[in-house]
Amino acid sequence: MKKRKLDMILERLEGFAAPDPRLEQYATPAPIASELLYSALLRGDLEGTVCDLGCGTGILAIGAALLGARSVGVELDCAALKIAKENARSLGVDVEFVRGDVASICLRNVTTVIMNPPFGAQKGSLGDRAFLRKAMEICEVIYSIHNAGSEGFIRRFVEPCKVEEVQKIAFPLKRSFKFHSKEVKIIEVELYRIFCR
Ligand code: SAH
């Protein structure tokens, strides 16, 4: 499947109906999801089992399945999971969705983790550390989206895993919460490829 086609399919997926600020529920915009997924596809990282930690409404997990991966999505929030399942069903793709907390879930035989974890900006949010910790524990390669300016922290935090690539991308953040003043705010984020084995 061409990247443009993937983009168009992912663009039509349902997002969060009532995003929860404490869980930092920001859906990844379709062009960024396809950038991440294509980057993984071209490096052969979608060949085994792919796990989306904090899968939300499923855009990354579903995209990975569309590109041929065996795909698993883990999410704490039942309402988001319900939308993710419906999104997968509407496209006829097979994704295993699991309800669980990233901090404590047991997962095996995962080759690649793909994720857009909470950045830890909201009070009560688990933040990206727990997500990175779990990813390092279970997989060989991580594709993860973080706040701009995180590189120093990420490099130190993931040791002995190695940051192999950092790509800077503009992330259009749609107005989802009352405390957002603009309809769309562009923030800069970084897409990491982290090699663990
Ligand atoms: N992967 C989706 C959603 C990203 S937003 C996408 O790319 O569009 C981050 C997601 O992590 C939210 O859906 C949130 O509910 C989930 N989340 C936050 N804390 C979690 C936890 N402890 N365990 C599992 N999921 C969690």
Side-chain angles (χ1 to χ4, degrees):
M1 183 186 296
K2 292 243 167 71
K3 191 169 167 196
R4 180 86 195 97
K5 174 96 195 280
L6 179 69
D7 229 48
M8 281 165 57
I9 297 176
L10 297 180
E11 195 73 64
R12 289 198 295 263
L13 295 178
E14 283 300 320
F16 294 103
D20 182 340
R22 277 166 314 160
L23 292 171
E24 295 191 53
Q25 294 184 325
Y26 297 105
T28 306
I32 296 180
S34 10
E35 187 69 39
L36 182 156
L37 291 162
Y38 251 78
S39 181
L41 179 74
L42 295 177
R43 288 164 183 78
D45 292 331
L46 298 185
E47 276 158 30
T49 298
V50 172
C51 182
D52 177 359
L53 294 180
C55 67
T57 50
I59 190 163
L60 297 175
I62 291 170
L66 285 167
L67 295 179
R70 187 180 109 69
S71 179
V72 181
V74 176
E75 171 61 49
L76 192 60
D77 179 31
C78 291
L81 262 187
K82 196 168 163 213
I83 299 172
K85 284 180 188 164
E86 183 51 32
N87 275 334
R89 200 200 53 80
S90 72
L91 292 173
V93 290
D94 199 19
V95 177
E96 185 186 339
F97 287 108
V98 181
R99 175 159 190 271
D101 187 331
V102 161
S104 55
I105 195 159
C106 254
L107 293 158
R108 278 199 208 141
N109 301 324
V110 174
T111 319
T112 305
V113 163
I114 51 178
M115 62 182 185
N116 178 11
F119 291 170
Q122 295 303 318
K123 211 171 158 211
S125 152
L126 193 56
D128 48 8
R129 288 166 200 242
F131 280 66
L132 282 168
R133 244 183 239 117
K134 179 56 68 176
M136 289 190 288
E137 178 192 314
I138 62 171
C139 77
E140 295 170 17
V141 192
I142 306 168
Y143 289 82
S144 186
I145 300 172
H146 297 271
N147 254 336
S150 303
E151 190 171 342
F153 153 69
I154 304 269
R155 281 190 186 275
R156 284 189 302 277
F157 189 81
V158 301
E159 269 174 17
C161 300
K162 290 265 174 301
V163 171
E164 296 227 313
E165 253 184 80
V166 187
Q167 198 184 330
K168 294 196 187 303
I169 27 184
F171 189 114
L173 198 65
K174 282 196 190 139
R175 184 175 199 277
S176 347
F177 302 122
K178 274 203 251 83
F179 55 80
H180 289 164
S181 52
K182 293 185 181 159
E183 275 311 309
V184 178
K185 184 178 165 197
I186 308 288
I187 60 164
E188 197 175 84
V189 296
E190 292 166 349
L191 169 58
Y192 286 80
R193 178 176 192 263
I194 300 164
F195 195 67
C196 295
R197 250 157 250 167

